[in-house]
Amino acid sequence: MSPTRTQWTRLIRFVAAETAQVHIGEPVDPKLDVGLAFHQKKPIKAYEIVGSALDPRSQVTTNVLTVKELLAPLSREDVGLVRCLGLNYADHAAEANLAKPAYPVLFYKPVLSLIGPDVPITIPKHVQPVEKHLPDYEVELTVVIGKAAKNVSEADALDYVLAYTAGNDISFRYHQMAVSQWNFSKGYDNTTPIGPCLVAAHAIPDPQKVPLKTTVNGKVLQDGTTADQIFNVRQTIAFLSQGTTLLPGSIIMTGTPKGVGFVKKPPQFLKDGDNVTVWIGNGIGTLVNPVVEERGNEKAKL
């Protein structure tokens, strides 16, 4: 089985100033942190890509476009299904006083939970006040499947990866712990940022050597590495594909390192006006999102 190889190394999805239409493209500056640049309102130029983000045959052109609005690198329709691992870092399981799992702990998110860079994380009225429900952050390396994968071996697992991106698994701890509702507590509308770009699998040959970090209002709260995962990316794909087809575009959020808010004394929780930043290395970059507590009928755009 040959790996999914793309012509592009980094892919962004955006509204172009020139056309007011949605495009995909490769940043002209290969070293630019596009998420940080967009947040800081700095100019971003991209070579237009003709085709789909999920088609490795898509071509990078010489047509340069200007980013007016940076979107999540995949649309909700592209993604289709969001799989997530819980307790996949030993240090995180320990800080939560939970047993290290013998097998991957799987839960799902609805695609309506997904949002892009700089889109507000909306805390629903249902999970307010925040002092009770403890909205929390979780930086996660996120895998994008590139071709249908079923009964995949660990040896071949990375051949099915199209790319990697960053995710922030916003979690509402009261419902997760007291009500024992993992899917519900992590699946509210407009609460799961992904982005700011896709980095092709060929540019990250070893996904177990990727640093990741979370800051809230400028303070570093998580600072880890995927080397500390209990189940590495190969093991995760092999396990999740047993008797189950992982479709192209579907994503896997692979867990978070220690440093989450609800275990701190006193607990730290997200609230209206906070700014949450997750950063992942190896070219993925920075994903910034403000936090708002729902008061009316706020809607977010992916």
Side-chain angles (χ1 to χ4, degrees):
M1 177 64 66
S2 59
T4 301
R5 178 90 186 194
T6 60
Q7 189 183 107
W8 50 267
T9 299
R10 294 199 303 162
L11 181 147
I12 58 174
R13 182 170 156 266
F14 61 97
V15 177
E18 293 83 356
T19 67
Q21 301 294 317
V22 175
H23 299 262
I24 56 173
E26 173 140 35
V28 170
D29 183 347
K31 295 184 179 179
L32 180 68
D33 183 331
V34 290
L36 186 60
F38 179 68
H39 180 69
Q40 295 176 342
K41 303 186 186 311
K42 294 182 178 178
I44 304 169
K45 300 283 189 178
Y47 296 113
E48 184 179 13
I49 295 174
V50 176
S52 161
L54 302 180
D55 185 350
R57 298 168 298 179
S58 295
Q59 298 293 305
V60 181
T61 72
T62 57
N63 184 38
V64 176
L65 295 171
T66 306
V67 174
K68 179 180 179 182
E69 181 181 1
L70 186 65
L71 306 174
L74 296 171
S75 70
R76 290 166 172 166
E77 292 74 21
D78 286 335
V79 172
L81 189 62
V82 184
R83 293 177 174 86
C84 310
L85 293 195
L87 298 175
N88 196 32
Y89 286 71
D91 55 5
H92 174 51
E95 72 176 355
N97 292 315
L98 295 169
K100 182 177 171 181
Y103 301 97
V105 176
L106 173 66
F107 62 96
Y108 294 86
K109 285 177 178 278
V111 293
L112 290 179
S113 71
L114 299 177
I115 57 175
D118 274 73
V119 174
I121 296 164
T122 303
I123 298 176
K125 293 178 181 178
H126 170 67
V127 282
Q128 297 176 30
V130 292
E131 294 86 351
K132 173 182 177 181
H133 290 276
L134 303 177
D136 210 346
Y137 49 83
E138 292 190 1
V139 60
E140 309 212 3
L141 178 69
T142 299
V143 177
V144 181
I145 297 297
K147 52 192 172 186
K150 183 175 181 180
N151 298 325
V152 171
S153 69
E154 289 182 22
D156 293 337
L158 297 187
D159 293 345
Y160 293 84
V161 176
L162 176 75
Y164 301 91
T165 191
N168 189 353
D169 176 17
I170 300 296
S171 306
F172 295 83
R173 301 302 188 184
Y174 176 77
H175 274 77
Q176 181 184 0
M177 302 299 183
V179 190
S180 298
Q181 292 284 349
W182 277 53
N183 290 297
F184 197 36
S185 68
K186 291 170 170 276
Y188 294 111
D189 289 355
N190 308 319
T191 54
T192 304
I194 60 169
C197 68
L198 302 184
V199 173
H202 65 79
I204 303 180
D206 186 354
Q208 306 314 133
K209 294 181 179 179
V210 180
L212 60 174
K213 186 180 298 186
T214 299
T215 64
V216 177
N217 301 329
K219 182 179 180 181
V220 177
L221 299 175
Q222 289 182 287
D223 191 358
T225 169
T226 55
D228 295 331
Q229 288 182 343
I230 298 170
F231 304 102
N232 64 33
V233 173
R234 288 182 182 273
Q235 292 170 319
T236 296
I237 292 171
F239 182 86
L240 296 181
S241 71
Q242 295 177 109
T244 302
T245 303
L246 312 182
L247 291 175
S250 61
I251 64 175
I252 305 169
M253 300 180 74
T254 61
T256 200
K258 69 177 181 180
V260 296
F262 84 100
V263 302
K264 299 183 185 297
K265 299 185 185 304
Q268 180 159 343
F269 49 86
L270 300 176
K271 60 188 183 302
D272 196 84
D274 283 348
N275 274 291
V276 186
T277 299
V278 297
W279 171 87
I280 296 186
N282 297 63
I284 294 172
T286 303
L287 182 58
V288 185
N289 297 88
V291 177
V292 298
E293 294 177 30
E294 182 181 39
R295 295 180 180 87
N297 293 313
E298 293 95 338
K299 295 182 179 179
K301 178 166 40 174
L302 185 68

